Amino acid sequence: MRGAFSDLFWRRPKLLLLLMLLPPVLWLGIVYIGSLFALLLQSFFSIDEFSGLINREFTLKTYGDLFQAANLDIILRTVTMAALVTLASAVIAFPIAYYAARYARGRWKALFYLGVMLPLWSSYLVKIYAWKLILAKEGILTWLLAKLNLLWLLDAWLSLPIVGGNSLSVSFTGTFIVFVYVWLPFMILPVQAALERVPGNLVEASSDLGASPGQTFRNVLFPLALPGIVAGSIFTFSLTLGDYIIPQIIGTSRLFIGQAVYSQQGTAGNIPLAAAFTVVPIVIMGFYLWGAKRMGAFDAL
């Protein structure tokens, strides 16, 4: 029988391919896409304001609730944070990736990969709680600024509206810092891979033709590294867009999308509104991935 099956698969390789792909395709189609479809379906229901029960009649009322001022504020706050984290990660990652791509060799390149990947090996929650202690009013960062006589600068920053707070650990600034720290490796590696593909003779030719370092960066390096930056931004933007743990531990009481989903399906019991909130990042990332694909970002992943 084993020989018969072997002959059958040899004569019909597509049948073998089908049997190999069937289990993961079923898992992806039923468990993953099926759950997303069920979630999308829930968003077209509504909550009965009198009984608190779910009214399973097709309606767009729940999506209309997303345009209320409080919910729009949550969406705008989350998208703004995701954009700022992505921009900051790109600015920090580029020089690190450039050094690794152009100058690091042998042991130094291995050390680079170890330094970038090592934070990803530690517990996600441990890193966040460690930053909670670092950014606290009695934390090491405040102690360091006090030693440098720069505590007045921190107090001035924390006194600002929106970005400030009682301490960095309960402010949008602290949330931003931790987001950048946690997602930075996901930006460095695609940018480094894109810069590795830039031929060194292009940079030399630019210098030979009289271009300044700034002109070489703007006209040669940055355009060729842009797909890598966009590829990294897919991770930093989407992960920030959907995360609820970092804002829950480090930040103010003003919600992000992930926290809104958690509170609506948990404390409030408003499953349709939680589902509608979940659709928002899916739609945003759909357009984002479409634009990233047009810029060649998938080739740099």
Side-chain angles (χ1 to χ4, degrees):
M1 184 178 295
R2 187 167 54 186
F5 276 116
S6 177
D7 293 340
L8 177 64
F9 293 147
W10 183 79
R11 290 194 301 268
R12 298 184 179 181
K14 290 184 179 180
L15 178 61
L16 177 61
L17 180 64
L18 175 63
L19 292 177
M20 291 178 63
L21 291 179
L22 190 60
V25 168
L26 287 176
W27 174 269
L28 181 66
I30 297 175
V31 177
Y32 183 70
I33 298 179
S35 62
L36 285 179
F37 179 77
L39 180 68
L40 179 64
L41 186 64
Q42 291 279 349
S43 67
F44 290 104
F45 298 154
S46 62
I47 197 82
D48 189 284
E49 297 179 358
F50 178 75
S51 64
L53 300 176
I54 297 177
N55 183 12
R56 300 184 180 278
E57 294 181 1
F58 185 86
T59 179
L60 295 177
K61 177 180 177 299
T62 304
Y63 283 101
D65 293 340
L66 288 178
F67 291 94
Q68 294 179 0
N71 295 331
L72 274 178
D73 187 49
I74 292 173
I75 296 171
L76 181 61
R77 182 182 304 117
T78 307
V79 173
T80 302
M81 177 64 77
L84 291 175
V85 168
T86 299
L87 181 61
S89 298
V91 171
I92 297 172
F94 195 94
I96 300 173
Y98 182 79
Y99 173 80
R102 291 296 172 193
Y103 300 106
R105 294 291 182 272
R107 189 175 300 176
W108 286 106
K109 177 153 286 191
L111 186 62
F112 160 77
Y113 283 116
L114 182 64
V116 172
M117 300 296 294
L118 191 61
L120 299 179
W121 300 344
S122 59
S123 170
Y124 179 72
L125 285 175
V126 168
K127 290 185 292 186
I128 297 173
Y129 278 112
W131 272 101
K132 180 78 172 179
L133 296 175
I134 293 171
L135 299 175
K137 186 172 290 187
E138 301 82 11
I140 188 173
L141 185 60
T142 304
W143 172 84
L144 179 62
L145 291 175
K147 290 293 183 181
L148 297 174
N149 294 321
L150 294 175
L151 199 56
W152 61 271
L153 185 61
L154 176 62
D155 293 336
W157 180 263
L158 291 176
S159 65
L160 295 175
I162 300 178
V163 298
N166 292 330
S167 70
L168 285 173
S169 62
V170 287
S171 67
F172 280 126
T173 302
T175 308
F176 168 79
I177 292 172
V178 178
F179 267 134
V180 172
Y181 167 79
V182 172
W183 307 140
L184 186 59
F186 295 96
M187 177 65 78
I188 294 176
L189 294 177
V191 176
Q192 186 262 343
L195 289 172
E196 288 272 10
R197 298 189 184 101
V198 178
N201 55 10
L202 291 182
V203 179
E204 295 173 2
S206 176
S207 300
D208 292 341
L209 292 172
S212 65
Q215 290 174 321
T216 300
F217 172 77
R218 290 192 302 271
N219 300 316
V220 179
L221 279 176
F222 183 75
L224 294 175
L226 187 58
I229 296 174
V230 177
S233 73
I234 293 173
F235 296 105
T236 57
F237 190 83
S238 62
L239 292 171
T240 305
L241 206 60
D243 192 277
Y244 78 95
I245 297 177
I246 292 176
Q248 187 77 16
I249 298 175
I250 300 175
T252 66
S253 59
R254 285 173 285 187
L255 300 178
F256 285 74
I257 289 178
Q259 292 171 289
V261 172
Y262 181 79
S263 62
Q264 290 296 334
Q265 67 88 27
T267 306
N270 193 341
I271 301 296
L273 186 57
F277 263 119
T278 307
V279 171
V280 173
I282 294 176
V283 173
I284 293 174
M285 285 309 302
F287 284 105
Y288 197 91
L289 291 174
W290 174 77
K293 185 177 183 299
R294 289 178 61 87
M295 298 181 70
F298 291 171
D299 297 331
L301 286 176

